Amino acid sequence: MTSASEANRIGESSKAPVAQLDRVPDYESVGCAFKSRRARSRRGRGIKESRVPVRDPAPELLNPGLLESSHEKWMRAALAEAEAAAAEGEVPVGCVVVHEGRIIGRGHNRIESLKDPTAHAEIVAIGAAATTLENWRLSGATVYVTIEPCLMCAGALTLARPDLVVFGARDPKFGCLGSRYDIARDNRFNHKLKVVEGVLAAEAGVLMKRFFRGRRSARQGTGREGSASAERREERGTGRKRGKSLEAAHRIRRGTVPVFGGTSARNARMHNA
């Protein structure tokens, strides 16, 4: 016969914790995975478990060349603006603002035509983009500019807060995104620009060099013409002076020029005598 204490011990051992009874039958030999009672009941009723869909990586991450070609596509639009500026006699800098796959603002230098020192390509394009979005914040936009922005334009870009700024060639004299100064790395501002540089930099640089070479040639040509004209005027003037002096000498010899005393008067009287 079993005593009462042994019976109580057997009864307690047969009462395992609920969590243990719940989990033990569902352990698997591989990975020791288990499912809760709620998961088993849902599976028994034929309810499928919801799974978070796995997204494929972005195409540009699988193939960085796609992102590069996209940058080149929009940079060529900016280069077209730069060529328009050169045709108008402006420094060839162009800019476009792209948002959701379309250009929402474009511009090129118009300093000379507008007689406005702030009419840089970036300022014109940013203003047009803000008008299109009806918002001064260019969130979700990418700005493409052929030449590294100056201090004014880099500040304007910081205020406009685009997602990305892409520029072509560096400007060693005025560039403020890495050349003379780097506003993008200055942590004192409340917005930090993300910058990509060097996209079609060679083509942007060729436009600038061609423009300033032509301007220098025009100035040198004007200078040569001006110096030649000055030389001709000087020769004519020297000839006139030489002719006048000879004529005066002949008149003095003939005694027709009044001379008021001095050696010239005595020479004239002696000549007449």
Side-chain angles (χ1 to χ4, degrees):
M1 294 180 63
T2 59
S3 61
S5 59
E6 292 177 354
N8 292 334
R9 194 183 307 114
I10 294 172
E12 291 176 358
S13 61
S14 62
K15 295 180 180 179
V18 174
Q20 183 178 352
L21 291 175
D22 185 22
R23 295 177 181 179
V24 169
D26 287 321
Y27 272 95
E28 298 178 0
S29 59
V30 180
C32 296
F34 66 89
K35 296 181 180 180
S36 64
R37 179 182 296 175
R38 180 171 180 271
R40 290 200 310 275
S41 63
R42 290 172 62 87
R43 184 179 61 181
R45 295 198 302 267
I47 301 176
K48 295 183 179 180
E49 298 181 13
S50 60
R51 296 181 179 179
V52 178
V54 179
R55 295 183 179 179
D56 295 332
E60 57 268 19
L61 298 180
L62 294 176
N63 185 4
L66 292 178
L67 183 60
E68 182 179 358
S69 62
S70 175
H71 285 335
E72 290 183 356
K73 170 187 174 182
W74 300 119
M75 185 60 74
R76 293 196 183 280
L79 285 170
E81 290 292 326
E83 292 174 354
E88 297 173 5
E90 303 276 0
V91 176
V93 180
C95 180
V96 297
V97 182
V98 178
H99 183 266
E100 295 181 352
R102 65 187 184 98
I103 296 177
I104 60 172
R106 64 174 71 233
H108 56 264
N109 272 359
R110 303 190 64 190
I111 297 173
E112 299 295 338
S113 59
L114 297 180
K115 302 297 184 289
D116 182 359
T118 67
H120 287 198
E122 298 93 323
I123 302 298
V124 175
I126 289 172
T131 301
T132 301
L133 293 179
E134 297 183 349
N135 192 345
W136 62 269
R137 294 175 182 263
L138 300 183
S139 301
T142 302
V143 179
Y144 294 87
V145 57
T146 57
I147 302 296
E148 181 182 1
C150 67
L151 181 60
M152 175 185 70
C153 297
L157 289 168
T158 303
L159 295 175
R161 303 178 183 179
D163 287 1
L164 183 66
V165 176
V166 182
F167 71 85
R170 282 201 169 199
D171 185 353
K173 292 185 177 180
F174 295 99
C176 286
L177 286 182
S179 294
R180 304 295 293 180
Y181 170 59
D182 195 348
I183 197 172
R185 295 187 179 183
D186 195 330
N187 296 323
R188 293 173 294 179
F189 297 101
N190 62 350
H191 179 74
K192 191 173 182 180
L193 291 174
K194 294 181 180 179
V195 181
V196 174
E197 67 172 283
V199 179
L200 299 181
E203 298 185 24
V206 166
L207 276 177
M208 293 289 285
K209 291 178 181 178
R210 186 188 305 160
F211 175 80
F212 285 107
R213 189 184 300 117
R215 176 175 287 185
R216 285 192 297 269
S217 299
R219 288 178 179 176
Q220 290 174 359
T222 304
R224 285 194 295 268
E225 292 176 359
S227 61
S229 300
E231 290 177 358
R232 287 193 295 270
R233 287 195 299 270
E234 186 177 356
E235 290 177 358
R236 288 196 296 269
T238 304
R240 291 195 189 97
K241 290 179 181 178
R242 188 181 299 113
K244 288 181 178 179
S245 60
L246 292 174
E247 182 181 358
H250 290 306
R251 293 176 66 184
I252 290 173
R253 292 192 187 96
R254 293 194 300 268
T256 57
V257 177
V259 181
F260 299 97
T263 306
S264 298
R266 288 195 298 271
N267 291 337
R269 287 194 293 272
M270 290 172 61
H271 177 74
N272 293 330

